[in-house]
Amino acid sequence: MIGFVISLKQEVTHIWPQFNQPKIHRVNGFELVVFNVLQQPAVLIYSGVGKANAASASQTLINHFNVSTIVNLGSCGAVNGNIQPISLFLPHTVTYYDVDVVAFGYAKNQIPHCPAYYGINSKLLDLVETTLKGYGLALHTGKLATGEVFINQANVNKYIQPQEQISAVDMEACAIAQICHKNDVKFCTIKIVSDTIHNTTMTNQQQWQDTISKVSEFNTKILVDIANLLVYHKI
């Protein structure tokens, strides 16, 4: 069974008319929707923002729905100046940017007794990348870093160093990857770039809402396409 983790409902609106008879569940304080894809069940969970929410939501999918693959959809902020808003970002690696236990011999941003970074399942990555290339948007790959500090030009050098080669940041993906790693569940994350640390055009609430509306439009298409793709290929 495939599970999808999305932090906020507004990141994937108008999705349920795409599927027959979706059923809403509530487990561990989370809202989930079970739906059918090619006559097979799939499940989406709204995690809420942040690492703890994302980790808990992912473990809920694993414990209660026995998912074998988790796909995280959502938005991210670009750190790389070559990546513009409303482009696609498909990470090949995820890590944290706000962890520091270097004093105990761990790498920067490494959780003790866990990997310093998490790679994406290669077969999953190849299938998803092929699909996303048909969307007519710029498609970027690279390293995504997760943390709970809003990164901007004023603080980026405090958390992210050029040699780390981090292209974009979010608040959930690496926590989901960590839970998947512990449970031997395949993981992939697909992001729409909502803003960049170099972009100063989103100066009011209306501009932000317009951007989130576009993010939601593409996330909805991505969810439908990727759900069908992974069920068809029995991922």
Side-chain angles (χ1 to χ4, degrees), residues 34-110:
V34 176
F35 56 100
N36 289 320
V37 181
L38 301 178
Q39 299 182 326
Q40 296 296 318
V43 58
L44 178 149
I45 189 168
Y46 299 109
S47 66
V49 175
K51 294 180 287 187
N53 281 331
S56 181
S58 300
Q59 195 65 57
T60 296
L61 287 181
I62 293 165
N63 289 351
H64 290 269
F65 294 89
N66 196 31
V67 298
S68 58
T69 300
I70 290 180
V71 178
N72 168 229
L73 302 180
S75 59
C76 69
V79 176
N80 184 327
N82 294 321
I83 301 176
Q84 298 302 312
I86 315 302
S87 57
L88 293 164
F89 186 64
L90 181 63
H92 55 60
T93 307
V94 294
T95 187
Y96 293 108
Y97 65 75
D98 59 354
V99 175
D100 188 353
V101 284
V102 172
F104 295 95
Y106 294 96
K108 184 176 182 291
N109 295 315
Q110 182 180 12

Side-chain angles (χ1 to χ4, degrees), residues 150-195:
F150 187 80
I151 300 298
N152 54 40
Q153 285 185 307
N155 65 11
V156 62
N157 292 330
K158 178 180 177 180
Y159 293 98
I160 297 173
Q161 302 303 314
Q163 63 268 25
E164 295 177 282
Q165 297 183 315
I166 291 170
S167 298
V169 293
D170 85 327
M171 293 187 174
E172 293 85 29
C174 193
I176 301 169
Q178 183 177 337
I179 295 299
C180 288
H181 175 79
K182 286 181 176 292
N183 289 273
D184 195 25
V185 168
K186 294 184 286 294
F187 169 74
C188 180
T189 181
I190 306 164
K191 300 291 185 178
I192 307 289
V193 179
S194 60
D195 58 313

Side-chain angles (χ1 to χ4, degrees), residues 203-217:
T203 57
N204 61 53
Q205 187 67 20
Q206 184 58 52
Q207 288 173 317
W208 175 249
Q209 290 298 326
D210 290 345
T211 298
I212 289 299
S213 178
K214 292 177 182 177
V215 168
S216 174
E217 176 186 347

